[in-house]
Every structure is written in structure tokens, then in C-alpha cells.
Amino acid sequence: MSELLKVTHLYKEFGTNVVLKDLNLSVNKGEVVVIIGPSGCGKSTFLRCLNGLEEIQSGVITVDGLPVEAGKRDITKLRQKIGMVFQSYELFPHKTVLENCILAPIKVQKREKDDAVKEALELLDKVGLADKKDYYPRQLSGGQKQRVAIVRALLMHPEILLFDEVTAALDPEMVHEVLETMLALAKAGSTMIIVTHEMSFAEAVADRIIFLDKGEIVEETDNVFGFFEQPKTERAKKFLKTFSYEK
Amino acid sequence: MNTDILIEYLPLYKDALFLTLRIGWQGIFLAFVIGLIGSAILHFKIPVLKSIVGVHIELFRNTPLLVQLFFIYFALPKVGIQVTAETCGKLGLGLLGGAYMIETFRSGLEAIPTIQTESALSLGMNDFQTLWHVILPQAVSISVPGLLANVIFLLKETSVFSTISLMDLMFTAKDLIGMYAKTIECLFLLVVFYLIMLLPISIIGAIVERRMRYGQFGD
């Protein structure tokens, strides 16, 4: 398998607050990496660093052979290789579902409108939202908005998809429909990095689990089932325990 | 009140209205352009230009249009720049209005959450595409009430054009009163003509406001 993303010695701080310390990560094509960890451990910040929404103080992020070092501002090329889906959907409220999907492909990649529309409709159909193409975001439920946001990211044909707690703001039933969509993507061979608090979903979708705490990788394993059964570190054990209840 | 006099003066007021509207709209258009560019400069925090915009805002918001017009009309020729009264009116209105428009657009831009920008950037859009396609349309829709207030305010400000001898509504009224002393009729027509000019803007504006807020984003 070829290496798609490589992060070396990533260091990030907000003022004097060190958020990520010397993080190293390598993700192969087609791999699904799930990052879990307690609030404030730096999971979301890590994702935001990967597509340049946060400046990093040192380290190198290489995507598909294209390295971006700390202090470099030109990251639009990098961003086109990385798609991101946010917790709060962030569809553009003044544009319809279809317009949301085709805006970037037309403006950024200069694709033909007909071609972008055709692909958008195919993808919307796959997530069961083709009939909503002319709706405005505020006419949709949270789960529907999130599926549109996924389609919008997919239309840019990114090499890697980042998911930042995409179900955290959703009702349980809607969580399911969004996670189903993501599972389908994973099966289709997409490379994904997922930050989530849905442990059963993490177990089902992940090829690799990364447990992050206080800005450091505490545990990293390909043995996903094993991790949830018997984590190696005390910190992970304690964290996983907060998800189960005993009477 | 003598209705014959009203009818007699009507054509003069009509001409003055057209002049006021012509200069007014061109000045306001200039104000819009200055407002868009200035607020974009503030939005991107472009060094140097940002300071110039700041000075422009404070300078033109805190001095009366009358003084600005005098300055443009009488002081500029001293440094070799000749301007006609009409250009002076448009320029003055545009610069004054620009200061207000910048602030109105800026407050609209600031009301859009940062994460909308991040969402657009993460799709590979550059800063300008993000502003133009994503942030600005939402900001303008929020700014409509403020922009509308600015337009009405600026059209009313045209009443000081009379001081640089532009034959606007105010000038015509003062002129007629000075010559024929039909004060009541002249002032009555003045009020009526200002209302003719501004009421439709208020009404159409209110409709636009509703459409922009509720229609555009889907109900």
C-alpha cells in the first residue's frame, strides 16, 4: 500500500498552551484511521492542522508527495487534496443543496457546470437526497445537511476525507444515517481520518485506532477489536470505561 | 395656499428632482463601490490600506458634508484640480457615503461565523472566492436595513448641494422664495418632492429586506 499522508514532528501551540506535541502519523491509501480521546486532547485541532485551518509551529505535513512545512501560507493546493466535513455541517445557507455541491468544483477546479451537476446528482442520489437538490439548507434536517456536506466534499475528488465529530450535533436516528454513508465510503476504498465519540462506529469502520491524550498519541493499533476489548495503556482503559455503565 | 402658484412651480421642482436623483444615485453608486472595496480591505486586514480606510472613515464621518463639499469645490482648484459643481457633488456624496457603507458592510461581514470561511477554504477556494461567493452574499443580506438607511440618508444630504449652486430641490425652493416670497407654497412643494423621492425607496426597500431575509434562504 502506498503512503498518502505523512505527518512528521507536528508541533502546535496556542500562545503558551501546547496542543499537539511532536505528532507523527502515516496513513496509507484506502486506510480508515479513527482518532479518539477525551475533550481537549487535540483531536479536532489535529484535523484542522492537516488542511491548514490552523497554523503549525513546526513539523511537515506531506500529502500525496506534496510537503507543506510550518510557516508556509500557500495551502490551497493541499486543501484540494483534502476534504473536510464539520460538526456543524457549514453548508452555505444562501445556496441550494445542488449549488452548495457544485460551487467549488466549478470555481476552483474550473469544471464544466453540466459535468459537475451530473456528478452531484449521482452522489446525492446515492445518499438518498436527489429529490432535495433545490432545497435550501435550512429546509433540511441535521442528518440530511451532513450528508449534503459529505457529498459536497466528495465532489472535489479529495485524496483524503477528514471528519470532525460529524455526528456530535445529531439526534440518534440521524447519527445512524450519516454513519451508514461513511461506512459505505470506507467500503468503497476512501482514505479517511475520523474524529468521533461513537465507539461502536469507530470499532466497525476503523482499520486503525489512534488514542490521543494531551496532544500526544498514547496508543496506536491496527488491532481495532483488541483495543476496545483490552486497551494496552491505563489512560485508554480509563477513557473507554466512561462509555460503559454498570449497575 | 395658492394652487395656481403650485402648478406654475411644478416643472421647476420636477427638473430639480431629476438633478437631485441623477447626482444622488451616481454618488450613492460610488459610495457602494467604496464601501465594498473598503470593507474587503478591512476584512482581509491588508496592511497600510487598512489604515487608509480607517482614516477615510473617521475623516468623512466626523465632518459635515457641507465642509467636505467646500473643501472639494474651493480648495482643490488651489492645487490645480478643477472640478465642476456636479462632479463635486457626486464625489462628496460618494466619499461621505463610502465611509458609512464600509461600516455597514463590515458589520455584515463580521456577523458571518468564521467557520463558514473555513468551510469554503477547506473546499480549496482562495480568499477572494470565499469572500465573493460565500461570505459577501450572506453579509449583504444582513446589511440590507443598514444599506437602505444609508441610501435615504445620503439622498437627504443632497440638500446641501445648493451651497455649491447645484440646482437641486433645496436650491430651487430657496431661489423661488428669494425671488417671489411665496414661502408656504415653495416649502410645501419641497416637502412633497422629498417624499416623492424617498417614500418609494423606503417601501421597495422594506419589501427587498423581507425577500432577502426569508425568501432567499428558503422558508
Side-chain angles (χ1 to χ4, degrees):
Chain A
M1 269 206 273
S2 62
E3 185 181 67
L4 197 54
L5 171 82
K6 191 173 175 62
V7 178
T8 45
H9 305 299
L10 189 150
Y11 187 87
K12 162 78 191 166
E13 59 190 18
F14 289 116
T16 54
N17 184 13
V18 180
V19 187
L20 298 170
K21 307 168 206 173
D22 193 34
L23 226 77
N24 294 286
L25 177 70
S26 164
V27 180
N28 290 326
K29 203 168 170 47
E31 207 178 2
V32 178
V33 175
V34 174
I35 303 175
I36 59 173
S39 294
C41 70
K43 324 181 279 289
S44 291
T45 308
F46 179 57
L47 285 195
R48 291 167 58 81
C49 288
L50 288 184
N51 71 349
L53 291 177
E54 298 287 351
E55 238 171 89
I56 57 175
Q57 273 66 47
S58 68
V60 184
I61 298 168
T62 310
V63 181
D64 203 15
L66 189 85
V68 174
E69 282 169 52
K72 291 277 162 62
R73 286 281 281 121
D74 188 33
I75 30 186
T76 47
K77 276 223 179 77
L78 176 86
R79 281 183 181 138
Q80 288 180 45
K81 292 179 180 291
I82 301 179
M84 180 146 179
V85 184
F86 297 84
Q87 178 179 342
S88 47
Y89 336 119
E90 298 311 324
L91 296 178
F92 307 135
H94 59 299
K95 295 194 176 293
T96 63
V97 166
L98 186 62
E99 288 166 348
N100 260 282
C101 294
I102 63 174
L103 179 65
I106 291 175
K107 300 297 175 192
V108 178
Q109 296 179 329
K110 312 287 178 206
R111 283 167 63 185
E112 291 295 323
K113 191 180 174 195
D114 294 347
D115 169 52
V117 168
K118 189 166 160 270
E119 195 190 348
L121 291 177
E122 280 169 19
L123 287 173
L124 284 172
D125 191 44
K126 265 189 196 164
V127 299
L129 290 172
D131 55 328
K132 300 274 193 272
K133 69 181 170 67
D134 295 320
Y135 282 47
Y136 283 94
R138 66 185 238 180
Q139 296 167 303
L140 302 179
S141 72
Q144 291 169 333
K145 279 188 227 181
Q146 200 55 291
R147 281 180 285 159
V148 173
I150 294 172
V151 168
R152 184 175 70 171
L154 285 175
L155 268 170
M156 291 298 285
H157 302 153
E159 302 283 340
I160 305 172
L161 277 167
L162 310 178
F163 294 86
D164 187 9
E165 297 193 37
V166 293
T167 58
L170 297 175
D171 291 340
E173 279 177 9
M174 293 175 185
V175 169
H176 191 74
E177 66 190 41
V178 171
L179 295 184
E180 285 290 333
T181 304
M182 289 164 68
L183 265 175
L185 283 175
K187 274 191 197 132
S190 302
T191 313
M192 298 154 76
I193 302 178
I194 301 169
V195 165
T196 186
H197 284 298
E198 302 284 337
M199 291 306 144
S200 55
F201 170 69
E203 198 172 339
V205 77
D207 294 320
R208 184 166 15 136
I209 290 280
I210 288 175
F211 178 70
L212 207 62
D213 188 30
K214 297 197 178 83
E216 286 172 303
I217 294 177
V218 175
E219 198 165 336
E220 178 173 1
T221 175
D222 290 339
N223 183 0
V224 175
F225 181 71
F227 174 81
F228 285 102
E229 279 298 296
Q230 196 71 50
K232 288 191 185 71
T233 57
E234 275 307 310
R235 188 64 193 89
K237 253 179 219 161
K238 222 173 130 196
F239 174 71
L240 286 177
K241 233 181 148 185
T242 59
F243 289 88
S244 55
Y245 297 91
E246 283 164 46
K247 203 176 173 185
Chain B
M1 198 151 42
N2 188 333
T3 43
D4 287 344
I5 290 177
L6 290 183
I7 291 163
E8 192 190 328
Y9 288 171
L10 218 51
L12 293 170
Y13 274 88
K14 193 200 74 194
D15 290 348
L17 175 71
F18 285 146
L19 179 109
T20 306
L21 277 178
R22 193 176 72 238
I23 301 177
W25 282 117
Q26 289 181 26
I28 288 167
F29 180 74
L30 180 63
F32 255 93
V33 174
I34 292 176
L36 274 179
I37 296 172
S39 61
I41 288 170
L42 293 182
H43 180 73
F44 290 131
K45 301 188 176 71
I46 302 171
V48 187
L49 290 181
K50 176 182 82 174
S51 313
I52 295 173
V53 171
V55 169
H56 172 93
I57 292 172
E58 297 312 330
L59 189 66
F60 284 91
R61 269 205 320 189
N62 299 315
T63 52
L65 179 59
L66 185 64
V67 176
Q68 294 162 19
L69 288 181
F70 278 166
F71 191 81
I72 298 169
Y73 196 53
F74 297 112
L76 284 189
K78 297 265 188 262
V79 291
I81 304 169
Q82 292 289 347
V83 280
T84 63
E86 230 184 276
T87 311
C88 172
K90 289 171 200 167
L91 207 59
L93 205 60
L95 290 170
L96 168 77
Y100 281 85
M101 295 291 187
I102 290 170
E103 286 294 71
T104 310
F105 279 125
R106 186 183 62 87
S107 66
L109 288 173
E110 279 177 3
I112 310 303
T114 323
I115 194 163
Q116 278 277 310
T117 301
E118 293 175 348
S119 165
L121 291 177
S122 76
L123 286 166
M125 290 191 218
N126 61 33
D127 288 342
F128 180 75
Q129 289 168 331
T130 299
L131 179 68
W132 190 251
H133 297 293
V134 177
I135 307 303
L136 197 61
Q138 299 182 53
V140 169
S141 138
I142 289 176
S143 306
V144 166
L147 295 174
L148 199 67
N150 286 351
V151 168
I152 292 171
F153 158 75
L154 290 171
L155 279 175
K156 285 194 293 187
E157 281 291 292
T158 57
S159 60
V160 304
F161 284 173
S162 57
T163 55
I164 52 167
S165 60
L166 276 172
M167 290 168 69
D168 76 321
L169 285 170
M170 195 68 186
F171 183 92
T172 305
K174 283 201 287 194
D175 203 31
L176 287 171
I177 292 169
M179 283 194 290
Y180 307 112
K182 303 288 181 202
T183 311
I184 305 229
E185 286 83 356
C186 285
L187 290 180
F188 175 73
L189 280 174
L190 186 61
V191 170
V192 169
F193 269 83
Y194 269 114
L195 286 177
I196 288 175
M197 178 165 71
L198 295 171
L199 268 183
I201 298 174
S202 268
I203 293 163
I204 294 167
I207 295 167
V208 170
E209 210 174 293
R210 265 203 305 271
R211 299 227 118 208
M212 292 284 274
R213 300 290 271 168
Y214 299 106
Q216 194 187 3
F217 297 171
D219 209 7

